[in-house]
């Protein structure tokens, strides 16, 4: 223990190896008991609390002496020879590496993809074209530039949802901001999806991108619009809507497909792809 | 140090038992404290389980009265409080205490004495809570134990509505226990930040260390508001303040905000250690490195961050604004993304691996399925209008028992089977383990799987009994029957622990052929953990030693 004569300990230390660890101490348990007793005052009696305070104080003072001026510690002797940890034995040459196709691992995945940035760019371009279509519709048919803006904003603006036709045709700053954010976000997200999905489709990417996907999206919107945005579903002009969607699909698909594809990890062996192992090439360099 | 003892042989000889007790009570060794945390948690787990069994007996058929309605109220309050604060959190701190210093190659936690005080405060606060059963002032012949539910909503807890001392015991317990939790959480975070051995960079730490650190960080953020809230409530009850008193200008909803600002992160405080255990076991028993380590780290941190911003999903039925409800519904659904990443990565680790379906791994496989179910019902409940229908029903009860039993508890079982050999030097019996596993697995799914149905049919939680014509009886009796299987399973586990600790097969240093540093010392480890502080070069230091021709360092 720490109270040993220093000279004494030195001879001990000379005889066997020791490791210095914090000495066991009763003060934490005493202090904890004091804390809980003090809390118990509320449900018992002031006497309990006073008693708890005394114990807490004793614990605090004792603890102080544990760490001041020097931490109390004890020297623990190393375990006897036979009880020490066994050294770990190397077992070279026992590692199996996974190979592509082994145990029916899937291998049919695209070898190259369009960069995500192309999807984002496509989304922005498509979004702009779509907005032009929507505004054209507003100006030509409804005689208001702001009509489509307000309709879209109604998706998150409860005020717009209750607005009259007149109000829907007037400028509203908040609605414009909301519309820009919603339209921008959705366009970029859809563009990203295009970028990811198009190379995975079997063939005729352009047909998928410009016709099939916009029609599918229109179907989804048609089925849910009444719930998501009742105002828009009331005033929406479906031919214009579909035209705008197809325009979006055309432009986005074009931007995505014209981008330079980049190779994926799929050409690597599976074991390397799943980060089970690094590139073989590198490790061979190393050896 | 300062004084030298002049009469070294003056102390009278003590009995071996006293020496033993003294050894445990004065220890500051993280391994002993870890064992004490886990054993106390197991003890409280049995108590909480008995409380649950009594409730299931009462609910097993319509119009039963096996107990007083007031007793039923204390039972569900004590069951919830016990399982969250006296089982889940001590399990977290137990595993953190035992494993983190070993895994990062240090000799102890940063503040060993603070660690001891953390444990003893937890232990005594648990005693204080249960002391309410004898010390609480009985009113109207009811027990004096807390009976206000584990989230103790205002205004039920106001002195006019709960005049006995029950809520005070609950509030004091939360307040004092919170001090202990804060102390230990702080200790863990500081230890991980400062005590790592040479070469143990943050991105080489075992995932368990990462995830438990995130959980402890959440404790540091979420616990103080709850402590503040319980102090405010005590003031309301005893000193005439009106924080939560609507008639006096306070706000009862304010309590809900404060409580759930703690309460939701608490879910992740509880379940992240489960993730942590699973992330250690699955790679070893798939014989592969963890899939997507950096993603797992990022997802854990992400969960920690997002978990702070979802608490209002417990309050959808309060009548807050549509904007509030939409925001918190969305943030709640977002949590599914990092959690989903984790599930994919665990499966990715198993995919193509050589699976060894030993007990620890079995528990993890069950965890994966059951936690997935819990997550799916969680997404359902995150949709505010859906929650309007099912809030406070048995559907919710079934959901969070899938999280906490199907997820967390199964992970803890796995952890017990995995590290028991390290802590005791002996293996937990595999045969009795399988009995435990299958009995508990079937019992759990019978009880809580079927519990979704009466919930969806509208059975509210916390009711004492119900009318015969609701059609709930059959589902309730099935649920209650499952309890018998679960209890039998837990008995197998306890017998297994006691028996194996004495005469289980000798484990050796590294029984599972594992890769993290705790297996690089003896079982049980010596007081000083490692003779020389270890030095690591990759995420799997023992792999490097075992396969020097194909070390991990080259791939990281
Ligand atoms: Cu929650």
């Amino acid at each position: 223990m720490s109270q040993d004569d220093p000279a004494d300990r030195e001879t001990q230390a000379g005889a066997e190896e020791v490791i210095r660890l914090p000495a066991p101490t009763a003060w934490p348990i005493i202090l904890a008991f004091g804390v809980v007793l003090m809390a118990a005052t509320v449900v018992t009696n002031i006497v309990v609390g006073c008693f708890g305070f005394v114990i807490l104080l004793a614990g605090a003072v004792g603890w102080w002496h544990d760490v001041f001026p020097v931490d109390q510690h004890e020297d623990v002797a190393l375990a006897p020879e036979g009880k020490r940890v066994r050294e770990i034995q190397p077992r070279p040459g026992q590692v199996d590496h996974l190979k592509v196709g082994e145990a029916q691992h899937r291998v049919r995945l695209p070898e190259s993809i369009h960069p995500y940035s192309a999807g984002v760019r496509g989304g922005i371009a498509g979004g702009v074209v779509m907005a032009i279509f929507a505004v054209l519709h507003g100006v030509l048919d409804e005689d208001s530039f702001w009509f489509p803006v307000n309709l879209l904003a109604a998706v998150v603006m409860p005020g717009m949802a209750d607005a009259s036709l007149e109000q829907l045709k007037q400028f509203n700053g908040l609605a414009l901001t909301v519309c820009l954010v919603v339209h921008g976000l959705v366009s970029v997200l859809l563009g990203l999806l295009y970028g990811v999905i198009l190379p995975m489709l079997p063939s005729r990417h352009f047909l998928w991108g410009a016709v099939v996907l916009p029609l599918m999206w229109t179907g989804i919107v048609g089925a849910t619009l009444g719930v998501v945005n009742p105002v828009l579903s009331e005033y929406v002009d479906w031919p214009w809507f579909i035209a705008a969607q197809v325009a979006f699909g055309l432009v986005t698909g074009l931007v995505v497909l014209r981008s330079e594809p980049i190779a994926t990890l799929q050409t690597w062996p599976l074991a390397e792809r799943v980060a089970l192992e690094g590139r073989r090439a590198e490790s061979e360099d190393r050896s | 140090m300062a004084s030298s003892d002049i009469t070294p042989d003056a102390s009278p000889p003590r009995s071996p038992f006293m020496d033993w007790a003294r050894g445990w009570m004065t220890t500051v060794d993280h391994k002993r404290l870890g064992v004490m945390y886990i054993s106390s948690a197991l003890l409280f787990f049995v108590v909480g389980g008995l409380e649950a069994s009594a409730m299931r007996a009462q609910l097993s058929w319509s119009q039963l009265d096996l107990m007083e309605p007031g007793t039923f109220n204390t039972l569900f309050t004590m069951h919830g409080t016990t399982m969250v604060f006296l089982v889940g959190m001590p399990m977290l701190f137990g595993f953190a205490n035992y494993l983190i210093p070993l895994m990062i190659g240090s000799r102890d936690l940063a503040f060993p004495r603070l660690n001891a005080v953390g444990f003893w405060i937890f232990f005594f606060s648990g005693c204080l809570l249960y002391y309410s059963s004898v010390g609480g002032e009985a009113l109207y012949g009811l027990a004096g134990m807390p009976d206000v539910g584990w989230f103790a909503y205002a205004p039920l807890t106001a002195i006019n509505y709960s005049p006995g001392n029950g809520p005070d015991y609950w509030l004091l317990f939360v307040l004092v226990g919170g001090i202990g939790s804060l102390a230990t959480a702080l200790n863990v975070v500081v230890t991980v930040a400062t005590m790592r051995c040479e070469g143990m960079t943050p991105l080489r730490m075992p995932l368990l260390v990462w995830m438990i650190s995130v959980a402890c960080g959440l404790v540091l953020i979420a616990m103080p508001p709850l402590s503040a809230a319980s102090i405010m409530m005590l003031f309301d009850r005893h000193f005439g303040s009106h924080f939560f008193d609507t008639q006096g200008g306070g706000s009862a909803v304010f309590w809900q905000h404060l409580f759930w600002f703690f309460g939701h992160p608490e879910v992740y405080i509880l379940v992240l250690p489960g993730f942590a255990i699973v992330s250690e076991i699955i790679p070893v028993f798939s014989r592969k490195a963890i899939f997507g380590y950096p993603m797992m780290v990022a997802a854990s941190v992400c969960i920690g961050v997002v978990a702070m911003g979802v608490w209002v999903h417990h309050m959808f039925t309060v009548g807050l604004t549509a904007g509030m409800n939409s925001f918190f519904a969305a943030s709640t659904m977002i949590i599914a993304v990092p959690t989903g990443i984790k599930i994919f990565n665990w499966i990715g680790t198993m995919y193509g691996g050589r699976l060894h379906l030993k007990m620890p791994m079995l528990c993890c496989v069950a965890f994966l399925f059951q936690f997935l179910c819990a997550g799916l019902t969680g997404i359902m409940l995150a949709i505010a209008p859906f929650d309007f229908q099912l809030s406070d029903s048995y559907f919710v009860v079934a959901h969070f028992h899938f999280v906490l039993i199907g997820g967390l508890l199964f992970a803890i079982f796995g952890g017990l089977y995995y590290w028991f050999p390290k802590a005791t030097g002996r293996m937990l019996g595999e045969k009795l383990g399988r009995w435990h596993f299958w009995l508990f697995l079937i019992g759990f799914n019978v009880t809580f799987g079927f519990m979704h149905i009466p919930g969806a049919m509208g059975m509210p939680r916390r009711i004492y009994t119900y009318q015969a014509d609701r059609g709930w009886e059959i589902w309730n009796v099935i649920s209650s029957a499952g309890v018998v299987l679960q209890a039998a399973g837990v008995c197998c586990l306890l017998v297994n622990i006691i028996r194996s600790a004495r005469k289980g097969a000798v484990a050796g240093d590294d029984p599972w052929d594992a890769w993290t540093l705790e297996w690089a010392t003896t079982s049980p480890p010596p007081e000083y953990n490692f003779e020389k502080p270890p030095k690591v070069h990759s995420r799997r230091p023992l792999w490097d030693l075992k396969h020097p021709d194909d070390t991990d360092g080259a791939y990281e």
Side-chain angles (χ1 to χ4, degrees):
Chain A
M1 298 295 285
S2 49
Q3 274 110 353
D4 284 354
D5 193 293
D8 210 300
R9 194 176 57 232
E10 236 166 57
T11 51
Q12 260 183 3
E16 50 186 327
E17 294 170 86
V18 291
I19 287 174
R20 181 162 284 192
L21 292 174
T25 165
W27 298 119
I29 185 174
I30 291 172
L31 189 122
F33 192 59
V35 169
V36 175
L37 276 192
M38 274 183 71
T41 315
V42 182
V43 282
T44 50
N45 194 300
I46 187 76
V47 180
V48 176
C50 294
F51 188 52
F53 182 69
V54 173
I55 294 183
L56 179 103
L57 211 63
V61 171
W63 191 321
W64 176 260
H65 283 293
D66 256 358
V67 293
F68 194 81
V70 199
D71 274 16
Q72 301 275 306
H73 31 62
E74 59 176 356
D75 290 326
V76 179
L78 281 189
E81 242 359 291
K83 290 196 169 173
R84 297 201 190 159
V85 64
R86 296 228 186 91
E87 210 174 315
I88 291 166
Q89 296 305 315
R91 307 184 307 232
Q94 289 202 346
V95 186
D96 287 343
H97 298 283
L98 273 171
K99 289 177 195 71
V100 171
E102 182 183 315
Q104 295 177 326
H105 283 138
R106 247 170 5 136
V107 287
R108 268 188 302 121
L109 285 166
E111 289 197 347
S112 65
I113 55 167
H114 299 282
Y116 295 154
S117 61
V120 175
R121 277 187 280 118
I124 294 172
V128 170
V129 173
M130 193 178 183
I132 293 171
F133 266 74
V135 169
L136 264 180
H137 159 63
V139 173
L140 295 181
D141 293 353
E142 305 288 340
D143 207 19
S144 160
F145 186 85
W146 304 111
F147 186 63
V149 174
N150 291 335
L151 282 186
L152 182 59
V155 70
V156 288
M157 276 179 70
M160 272 302 151
D162 306 328
S164 67
L165 192 59
E166 269 318 300
Q167 283 168 311
L168 282 175
K169 290 185 176 181
Q170 271 152 26
F171 170 74
N172 181 322
L174 181 63
L176 178 63
T177 322
V178 167
C179 168
L180 284 178
V181 171
V182 170
H183 183 63
L185 271 181
V186 175
S187 298
V188 169
L189 274 177
L190 276 178
L192 259 176
L193 272 179
Y194 262 71
V196 174
I197 293 176
L198 278 188
M200 305 247 235
L201 296 172
S203 59
R204 289 176 214 219
H205 292 166
F206 196 74
L207 184 74
W208 280 94
V211 182
V212 182
L213 290 179
L215 285 180
M216 285 168 77
W217 175 247
T218 309
I220 294 172
V221 173
T224 55
L225 198 61
V227 183
V228 179
N229 189 343
V231 189
L232 181 54
S233 87
E234 193 181 327
Y235 294 110
V236 69
D237 183 326
W238 285 107
W240 272 100
F241 188 86
I242 294 171
Q245 299 296 335
V246 172
F248 177 91
L250 264 169
V251 174
T252 310
L254 223 85
V255 174
V256 168
L257 290 175
R258 286 175 63 114
S259 68
E260 191 70 33
I262 50 175
T264 63
L265 308 184
Q266 306 306 332
T267 47
W268 301 8
L270 181 91
E272 293 175 6
R273 262 191 286 130
V274 298
L276 187 70
E277 294 159 9
R279 304 299 307 267
R280 276 281 95 183
E282 282 168 32
S283 58
E284 271 151 23
D285 284 351
R286 196 170 47 91
S287 56
Chain B
M1 270 310 276
S3 66
S4 47
D5 196 342
I6 18 176
T7 52
D9 289 318
S11 55
R14 285 190 300 264
S15 70
F17 173 77
M18 286 304 286
D19 270 351
W20 176 84
R22 191 190 162 86
W24 284 95
M25 283 160 73
T26 62
T27 188
V28 290
D29 180 356
H30 71 96
K31 297 180 289 300
R32 288 189 143 201
L33 286 163
V35 169
M36 287 200 282
Y37 264 120
I38 292 174
S39 334
S40 326
L42 281 175
L43 184 81
F44 282 119
F45 173 65
V46 172
V47 175
L50 290 175
E51 287 160 354
S53 313
M55 283 189 283
R56 280 314 325 165
Q58 163 65 27
L59 289 174
S60 54
W61 203 255
S62 60
Q63 306 280 31
L64 291 182
D65 57 351
L66 307 177
M67 60 187 72
E68 296 286 321
T71 313
F72 189 84
N73 291 353
T74 63
L75 279 178
F76 66 67
T77 306
M78 293 299 274
H79 167 74
T81 308
T82 303
M83 289 304 194
V84 169
F85 293 99
L86 295 173
V87 180
M89 290 185 82
M91 278 290 180
L92 151 70
F93 291 136
F95 278 101
N97 247 297
Y98 200 96
L99 294 171
I100 285 185
L102 284 168
M103 282 185 163
I104 62 173
S106 95
R107 292 236 152 93
D108 208 321
L109 289 179
F111 310 114
R113 297 176 194 85
L114 185 70
N115 194 16
V117 98
F119 170 77
W120 289 110
I121 287 184
F122 142 70
F123 186 79
F124 289 138
S125 70
C127 297
L128 176 69
L129 180 70
Y130 273 91
Y131 175 72
S132 66
S133 59
V134 285
E137 257 166 60
L139 251 121
Y140 313 116
L142 304 181
M145 289 166 112
D147 57 356
V148 287
W150 89 276
F151 36 76
Y153 269 6
L156 177 60
T157 40
I159 195 88
N160 322 14
Y161 304 114
S162 297
N165 263 338
D168 297 319
Y169 276 99
W170 187 89
L171 292 164
L172 291 170
F173 160 73
V174 164
L175 179 60
V176 175
I179 301 173
S181 307
L182 273 182
T184 309
L186 188 73
N187 212 340
V188 168
V189 172
V190 173
T191 304
V192 173
T194 62
M195 307 271 287
R196 302 190 307 271
C197 69
E198 200 182 332
M200 182 68 76
T201 56
L203 281 181
R204 281 185 192 154
M205 296 195 305
L207 282 174
L208 180 135
V209 178
W210 264 108
M211 294 183 189
I212 289 191
S213 306
V214 172
C216 287
L218 281 176
V219 172
L220 291 182
I221 300 172
M223 210 77 205
L226 181 67
S227 305
S230 50
I231 293 173
M232 288 150 87
M233 181 66 87
L234 281 168
F235 270 60
D236 271 16
R237 287 176 59 82
H238 295 286
F239 304 113
S241 62
H242 304 286
F243 291 111
F244 308 116
D245 170 12
T246 28
Q247 265 129 40
S251 162
V253 175
F254 184 38
W255 168 269
Q256 298 193 21
H257 278 295
L258 286 176
F259 184 86
W260 289 117
F261 185 76
F262 153 82
H264 186 85
E266 174 70 13
V267 175
Y268 285 90
I269 291 168
L270 293 175
V271 87
L272 271 168
F275 294 173
I277 292 169
V278 170
S279 306
E280 291 303 318
I281 293 176
I282 285 183
V284 171
F285 290 85
S286 305
R287 311 310 302 158
K288 276 173 67 188
I290 187 85
F291 178 88
Y293 173 97
M295 264 305 187
M296 289 297 256
V297 172
S300 307
V301 176
C302 208
I303 285 177
V305 173
V306 183
M308 300 302 308
V310 300
W311 77 93
V312 171
H313 65 214
H314 297 269
M315 301 163 60
F316 282 154
T317 49
V318 165
L320 303 166
T321 61
M324 279 277 261
N325 285 352
S326 322
F327 176 86
F328 283 96
S331 64
T332 303
M333 288 182 210
I334 283 174
I335 271 212
V337 175
T339 318
I341 289 176
K342 289 193 170 192
I343 291 191
F344 274 117
N345 283 9
W346 289 320
I347 296 172
T349 308
M350 291 165 67
Y351 185 64
R354 303 233 163 98
L355 302 189
H356 293 226
L357 287 175
K358 294 277 179 53
M359 273 309 294
M361 185 63 169
L362 272 185
C363 293
C364 289
V365 175
F367 163 94
L368 281 178
F369 279 98
Q370 289 162 180
F371 187 72
L372 182 63
C373 291
L376 292 178
T377 50
I379 290 289
M380 289 156 79
L381 288 168
I383 302 163
F386 187 93
D387 186 77
F388 294 166
Q389 288 298 312
L390 289 175
S391 182
D392 269 335
S393 76
Y394 263 87
F395 189 87
V396 175
V397 177
H399 156 70
F400 67 72
H401 281 86
F402 259 77
V403 177
L404 292 174
I405 301 184
L408 173 64
L409 189 61
F410 270 84
I412 288 176
F413 286 156
L416 286 177
Y417 283 94
Y418 186 54
W419 283 295
F420 186 87
K422 181 45 64 183
T424 64
R426 290 176 186 278
M427 309 291 286
L428 267 179
E430 190 78 11
K431 197 167 167 208
L432 207 49
R434 298 211 172 222
W435 276 100
H436 158 226
F437 176 78
W438 287 110
L439 281 171
F440 199 89
L441 181 102
I442 296 168
F444 160 73
N445 281 291
V446 167
T447 298
F448 294 103
F450 285 103
M451 194 180 274
H452 290 95
I453 300 171
M457 290 164 81
M459 179 170 166
R461 70 195 284 197
R462 293 178 171 169
I463 51 167
Y464 163 65
T465 189
Y466 47 91
Q467 298 293 321
D469 56 2
R470 300 291 172 91
W472 299 342
E473 282 116 327
I474 180 69
W475 308 113
N476 275 294
V477 78
I478 293 175
S479 276
S480 297
V483 172
V484 180
L485 297 178
Q486 291 185 65
V490 171
C491 286
C492 291
L493 172 71
L494 295 178
V495 170
N496 200 356
I497 289 177
I498 294 167
R499 219 164 64 178
S500 304
R502 289 156 180 271
K503 38 187 177 194
V506 175
D509 296 347
D510 181 17
W512 310 115
D513 192 9
W515 304 309
T516 36
L517 279 180
E518 76 270 28
W519 306 102
T521 181
T522 51
S523 310
E527 228 179 304
Y528 46 81
N529 291 354
F530 304 99
E531 280 165 41
K532 288 192 213 84
K535 220 167 153 183
V536 302
H537 305 281
S538 77
R539 284 172 203 145
R540 298 191 297 170
L542 267 61
W543 169 278
D544 293 352
L545 292 174
K546 289 169 184 170
H547 305 281
D549 55 328
D550 192 2
T551 56
D552 266 8
Y555 309 125
E556 279 173 14

